[in-house]
Amino acid sequence: MTEPQGTGVTVLGLGAMGSALATTLLDAGHAVTVWNRTPARAVGLSARGAEAASAISVAVTANELIIACLFDHASVHETLDPVVAELRGRTLVNLTTTTPNEARELAAWAAEHGVDYLDGAIMATPPMVGAPEASILYSGTREVFDAVRPVLDRWATSTYDGEDPGLASLFDLALLSGMYTMFAGFLHGAAMAGSAGMSATDFAARATPFLSAMTFAFADDARVIDGGDYTVAGQQSLDFSDLSHIVRASEEQGVEPAPIAAVQELISKQIAQGHGAEAFARIYESLRADRTDSTDSTDSTGSTELTEAHR
Ligand code: FVH
């Protein structure tokens, strides 16, 4: 076995993702200390050269840089609250999925206890870790990101999204929202075609090139939204985009119309407000946050309370 080189790193949480992160660091020659609530999960990494810490206090004092890849926001506090004194002066990079406000709360908690904090959001599956196609978003203090970047770059293409610690989580969840809504649309289409006997496999073969080709329109919609003028020429209007025939067809086939009915509801709302002749992208106005309200409600820790309008 070769001698470890580079920054020593502690990885907390050895689920599928934490194990992939630790393995990549070991393969790159870092000295890695690992800890997991269920110790048996550290056995394979020990065999590859990791130091398995016997207790969380041993793990967090082994290195200056601590990576947390746990289950959720609550599990991060459950794991780290008892050793917060030992964390003082160290750097914590939290790659556990949280909401933006949970990330802001963790950043404020870390600052209160003298811990340098960076929040991260992993846009990859465990087998992708270590490849440039993998992407991890980061937000929080820029100096912390710059200081630990050589380690972060071992895992993925690293993107710094800004000082607000909630931004990495926000952009991650925004992208996932787009993805899951698209998949729900695909599955609804598969159920419609399936009502006439088409296999999901055959439907996927037709849907993939069609949906891929349609994504060019994201940029068109984005230009209209950012330009703020939904009456701009050359755009498909909301009146033309009425989808009630798709909702009806779905019901006629005995297929639950929920995904497409939700889109139709947004269209109908804008038409009812008198915007039928305007671009389809106008439904963004039914979805967007009131940015003035959310700015007004940001407190001194950077935490943004939900206003009545957002609930
Ligand atoms: N896996 C993926 O594809 C996604 C990609 C995007 C980002 N996510 C997030 O990464 C976090 C970890 O995900 P994971 O895949 O490693 O998850 P699991 O395999 O389920 O492992 C969970 C680990 O968390 C430990 N844990 C759970 N609860 C607690 C707790 N209360 N105290 C301490 N540790 C806890 C668990 O330990 P154990 O059950 O083995 O004892 C695992 O180590 C996650 O936020 C994803 O959303 C992954």
Side-chain angles (χ1 to χ4, degrees), residues 12-19 35-39 41 68-76 78-79 95-98 121-127 172 176:
L12 309 177
L14 302 175
M17 186 53 82
S19 295
W35 174 88
N36 195 62
R37 179 181 61 174
T38 308
R41 276 183 131 162
C69 190
L70 299 164
F71 183 63
D72 59 7
H73 174 258
S75 63
V76 175
E78 204 170 304
T79 302
L95 299 175
T96 309
T97 301
T98 65
I122 303 173
M123 310 284 312
T125 58
D172 172 33
L176 290 178

Side-chain angles (χ1 to χ4, degrees), residues 40-189:
R41 276 183 131 162
V43 171
L45 286 157
S46 290
R48 294 180 77 124
E51 188 68 37
S54 53
I56 183 65
S57 58
V58 176
V60 300
T61 51
N63 293 296
E64 296 299 307
L65 176 56
I66 322 289
I67 311 299
C69 190
L70 299 164
F71 183 63
D72 59 7
H73 174 258
S75 63
V76 175
H77 271 303
E78 204 170 304
T79 302
L80 293 179
D81 281 354
V83 289
V84 71
E86 284 99 321
L87 281 174
R88 181 171 288 277
R90 302 177 199 275
T91 298
L92 172 64
V93 178
N94 179 38
L95 299 175
T96 309
T97 301
T98 65
T99 68
N101 274 357
E102 288 170 347
R104 292 176 184 123
E105 187 280 328
L106 283 166
W109 168 84
E112 192 187 320
H113 293 95
V115 181
D116 287 336
Y117 182 86
L118 187 67
D119 204 80
I122 303 173
M123 310 284 312
T125 58
M128 292 168 71
V129 172
E133 300 76 46
S135 160
I136 306 185
L137 314 180
Y138 296 95
S139 56
T141 312
R142 175 89 217 194
E143 290 73 31
V144 177
F145 174 74
D146 289 338
V148 299
R149 186 162 189 174
V151 174
L152 310 182
D153 285 349
R154 301 287 192 192
W155 296 318
T157 298
S158 311
T159 302
Y160 177 73
D161 276 319
E163 294 277 333
D164 171 355
L167 289 180
S169 158
L170 178 64
F171 297 154
D172 172 33
L173 300 184
L175 287 163
L176 290 178
S177 173
M179 183 191 80
Y180 280 113
T181 309
M182 182 186 70
F183 274 111
F186 161 71
L187 295 171
H188 177 252

Side-chain angles (χ1 to χ4, degrees), residues 221-246:
D221 283 353
R223 262 191 300 277
V224 173
I225 292 163
D226 292 342
D229 180 9
Y230 295 100
T231 65
V232 67
Q235 293 290 312
Q236 180 173 313
S237 72
L238 282 162
D239 283 336
F240 187 81
S241 309
D242 188 283
L243 307 179
S244 42
H245 59 299
I246 307 182

